[in-house]
Structure formats: structure tokens, C-alpha cells
Amino acid sequence: QQPVQSPQAVILREGEDAVINCSSSKALYSVHWYRQKHGEAPVFLMILLKGGEQKGHDKISASFNEKKQQSSLYLTASQLSYSGTYFCGTGFTGRRALTFGSGTRLQVQP
Amino acid sequence: GAGVSQSPRYKVAKRGQDVALRCDPISGHVSLFWYQQALGQGPEFLTYFQNEAQLDKSGLPSDRFFAERPEGSVSTLKIQRTQQEDSAVYLCASSLKGEGSPLHFGNGTRLTVT
């Protein structure tokens, strides 16, 4: 039931765009996105709830396709500070805890 | 406090020893979660509390693992007779309310069993 994230790793130059995908084999209630830098706590980015909405702040946005049970995280005009590992956490109706994917390692180079 | 606080930050235990890991959540947060994170992997769910009630402990890997939150605030994760496979980062997270609330993670406790 662990969501599948792709790609596993990506290297970008500053200013380039990236898309990270998260797929579930089970019907989703919610998708959370977090970023974790080495040795630090995961930091919340955004939540998408069932309903196919798109959310965003600054140059990071996300979509949730309920039919396909997929979410995508969009990073535009990447900055050095975007480097880290991105995790999606999936929520299912009736289960409070999130199930996390194995992460996408993003490295932004100057 | 300003964020979720976990202690100790690092713990080295000899195989067979018992350890206790502490989590101090954000004041007023009803939900508290424990996750285990192996190197290069995503967090894996261990257990969940709503106030002092442990509502889900389906992720605890064995009966050597025990968690409590007696007064609905601070929580302790105890591992008895530690094994090498218990070596990991143990993350605590809290959230304000129910489904749809963001998780606020602590920096974790890195447990190394030798």
C-alpha cells in the first residue's frame, strides 16, 4: 500500500522545472507533500484532499487526480533551497496515519 | 514550545538494552504519531495517539515496542531488548486535529544498536 514515487532522483540547474509523481493502488482521501533536508525533520509543503484540486504557493504547486489516484508536485524556476528529498504521504478514509513513499531526491545545482 | 521536540537526539545502545525516546509535541496538538525512518527510505508508521488514547498501533514491529502518552501531551516510545535491526531514526509528529491537518515533525532520535 506504499505509494510509488517517481523519479527516484533528479538533478536540476537553478531555474529549471521539475515534476515529482506519486501513485497509489488504493483509493485516496488525501495526499500530503513534505521536503526533508539531510539530518533534518520533514517539513510540510501542502495537502490535497479528495476532489481533484490543485494547490500552490510561491513556485511550488501540486495536483491530485482522484480517478488515477495520483498526485504530482510541480517545482518551477527551481532554487538552490529546493534541494532535498521530497516525500508524498497518502491518507485513506478511516485511517488517520499517513503512508509515505520512499522519496525523490532532488538536487539543484548553480 | 515552538515546534516538536525530541530527545535524545542520538542514542547508542548495546544489543539487549532497553531504550526510551521522548517526544514533546506542539502545545494543543491532539494527534501524535511515531514513525521509523531507515536510511534512504520514507518514514514508516509505528503508532498513533489521539490525546491519551492509542488508536492505532498496527505499525509496531514487535511486542518489544511500546508507546504511551498518559496525559495527552508528552509521549514516550520504549524499545525493550534492542536488536540491530532497530537501528533507525525515530520521528515524532503532531497535528492540530483530524484528517487533513499537516504533520509537524520533530528532528528525530537516531538510534544505533551495536
Side-chain angles (χ1 to χ4, degrees):
Chain A
Q1 291 180 1
Q2 183 183 36
V4 176
Q5 287 188 235
S6 63
Q8 286 187 314
V10 59
I11 299 175
L12 299 174
R13 293 273 180 213
E14 255 185 307
E16 289 181 341
D17 302 340
V19 180
I20 300 171
N21 299 302
C22 175
S23 298
S24 173
S25 57
K26 200 176 159 184
L28 293 172
Y29 172 80
S30 65
V31 179
H32 295 220
W33 286 97
Y34 293 81
R35 177 173 59 214
Q36 185 177 31
K37 294 186 184 274
H38 184 68
E40 297 181 10
V43 173
F44 170 74
L45 294 175
M46 64 189 73
I47 292 176
L48 300 104
L49 300 177
K50 195 166 86 165
E53 61 182 286
Q54 181 146 355
K55 275 196 169 184
H57 60 85
D58 202 8
K59 296 185 179 111
I60 300 176
S61 62
S63 62
F64 180 10
N65 187 322
E66 195 182 325
K67 273 189 179 176
K68 292 186 179 179
Q69 305 305 327
Q70 280 179 356
S71 178
S72 295
L73 185 72
Y74 306 94
L75 302 144
T76 57
S78 58
Q79 306 166 15
L80 294 175
S81 61
Y82 287 4
S83 293
T85 302
Y86 289 77
F87 294 101
C88 67
T90 49
F92 307 104
T93 301
R95 185 160 198 255
R96 181 64 185 88
L98 297 178
T99 304
F100 286 92
S102 55
T104 295
R105 214 170 313 157
L106 181 83
Q107 186 182 350
V108 181
Q109 296 177 341
Chain B
V4 176
S5 177
Q6 290 187 247
S7 60
R9 188 79 172 89
Y10 302 94
K11 178 70 180 176
V12 178
K14 285 190 167 34
R15 194 161 57 97
Q17 281 184 334
D18 298 348
V19 297
L21 312 180
R22 178 189 166 105
C23 173
D24 207 331
I26 293 172
S27 178
H29 278 199
V30 168
S31 299
L32 186 144
F33 303 83
W34 284 98
Y35 283 87
Q36 182 190 60
Q37 187 174 29
L39 194 63
Q41 297 297 313
E44 275 200 40
F45 171 72
L46 295 175
T47 188
Y48 159 58
F49 290 86
Q50 184 174 299
N51 295 309
E52 69 279 2
Q54 188 175 21
L55 298 185
D56 187 348
K57 53 182 181 179
S58 61
L60 296 176
S62 77
D63 58 8
R64 295 186 296 104
F65 286 70
F66 171 77
E68 59 183 4
R69 194 187 184 197
E71 294 174 6
S73 55
V74 170
S75 176
T76 304
L77 176 68
K78 296 179 180 175
I79 309 173
Q80 295 177 324
R81 304 181 304 283
T82 51
Q83 304 293 315
Q84 281 197 313
E85 61 262 27
D86 300 336
S87 296
V89 175
Y90 290 84
L91 293 168
C92 175
S94 68
S95 70
L96 187 57
K97 47 189 176 85
E99 285 182 276
S101 297
L103 298 187
H104 299 264
F105 283 90
N107 283 326
T109 293
R110 182 178 294 279
L111 174 66
T112 304
V113 182
T114 61

